[in-house]
Amino acid sequence: MAAELIDGMAIAQAVRGEVARGVAEWTAGGRPAPGLATILVGDDPASAIYVGGKQKACAEVGITGFDHRLAVDVEHDEVEALLRELDDDPRVSGILLQLPTPPQVEGGALTELIAPHKDVDGLTPVSAGLLAKGRPGLRPCTPSGVMELLRRHDVELEGAEAVVVGRSDLVGKPVGALLLAANATVTTCHSRTRDLAEVCRRADVLIAAVGVPELVRGDWVKPGAVVVDVGINRTEVGLVGDVEFAGARERARLITPVPGGVGPMTIALLLRNTLEAARLAADASPAPR
Ligand code: NAP
């Protein structure tokens, strides 16, 4: 029987609704709305679309957007000065530097300057360390989105064999850490993994985050497994995931489509992180006298 589809659009919408209600409750107590500052350097059309989407999503849930657009030839130091300003600005709960940046601006180094409690992308070394240590902190958006999809479908993770294909800082590593925190038995695969097919066949929960169209073949999927495809590959036939969908759907119990699976979750979790960041800032500041 074909697997049930995990509807990322519907789940992302539900998360956005929860964030909107959370923001309304937050401001009803007289507090200022959470704020998200985005920084876009240059005029790359794809990045401009991403940033525009994030700002629009903020407005829809009542988060205040601070949309900083800098010229393509801006100096590194100017971006650094802006970041430091935003770190100190109490109206700004979360900061996001859109990557990639032009060559003279060291995006990776700048990201590391973001204060941990404003790191709504969850990608700074401090946030990664907190996740690795199992301590509270802001988690990366796409991996949190994957976990949310599994949670909303009541996927049993405790003791489950979870296989993650991909070990990037952005997706593979944090997904592995989150699955481990949920008491799954986690195997992380990468380009040097021997016999990837056999490792995948062990998985009760199989996560593909590779960036190679349909790398994970249908017959690598254990019958009854849950398959989450993070891949977004633009091909001649349109958007394709990292999993051979038709074959995998025949064997899986639950599967995400591409598009419409993990994709919509990232912005939804960014909004949730921004609300969480506002709460963290309030917890960190001294109580009013
Ligand atoms: P990445 O940084 O390029 O990492 C890819 C990982 O896949 C690496 O760990 C690499 O191994 C591994 N890999 C590559 N070829 C492989 C092979 N033949 N066999 C086994 N492993 C292989 O990519 P990423 O940033 O994690 O993104 C992965 C995919 O997710 C992309 O399609 C991206 O577009 C998509 N994505 C989607 C969202 C979203 O839905 N919102 C967000 C982020 C990313 P090595 O480490 O050994 O090189």
Side-chain angles (χ1 to χ4, degrees), residues 111-148:
T111 297
E112 295 188 9
L113 296 177
I114 295 172
H117 64 279
K118 296 194 177 188
D119 177 23
V120 282
D121 250 348
L123 296 174
T124 62
V126 172
S127 296
L130 292 171
L131 172 58
K133 299 279 277 179
R135 302 228 318 251
L138 293 165
R139 309 304 192 208
C141 302
T142 303
S144 297
V146 169
M147 298 304 288
E148 195 62 33

Side-chain angles (χ1 to χ4, degrees), residues 155-163 179 182-186 202-205:
V155 174
E156 175 72 53
L157 293 174
E158 176 118 5
E161 284 271 359
V163 172
L179 288 164
N183 294 324
T185 301
V186 182
R202 294 207 304 257
D204 301 314
V205 178

Side-chain angles (χ1 to χ4, degrees), residues 142 165-172 189-193 196 208-212 215 230-233 242 262-264 266:
T142 303
V165 189
R167 59 172 167 181
S168 69
D169 289 347
L170 184 61
V171 189
C189 304
H190 45 79
S191 63
R192 319 291 160 82
T193 297
L196 184 60
V210 193
V212 178
L215 175 87
V230 184
I232 303 179
N233 306 290
D242 292 342
V262 177
T266 301

Side-chain angles (χ1 to χ4, degrees), residues 62-152:
I63 290 174
T64 307
F66 300 92
D67 187 355
H68 295 272
R69 310 255 169 159
L70 305 178
V72 68
D73 58 355
V74 68
E75 295 295 332
H76 176 95
D77 291 353
E78 282 178 64
V79 189
E80 181 173 333
L82 173 60
L83 266 179
R84 292 193 188 282
E85 225 175 81
L86 296 172
D87 262 343
D88 291 339
D89 187 339
R91 298 170 306 159
V92 173
S93 322
I95 304 171
L96 188 151
L97 174 64
Q98 185 68 38
L99 300 176
T101 50
Q104 81 282 4
V105 176
E106 290 170 52
L110 287 174
T111 297
E112 295 188 9
L113 296 177
I114 295 172
H117 64 279
K118 296 194 177 188
D119 177 23
V120 282
D121 250 348
L123 296 174
T124 62
V126 172
S127 296
L130 292 171
L131 172 58
K133 299 279 277 179
R135 302 228 318 251
L138 293 165
R139 309 304 192 208
C141 302
T142 303
S144 297
V146 169
M147 298 304 288
E148 195 62 33
L149 294 177
L150 297 174
R151 196 176 71 77
R152 302 244 175 182

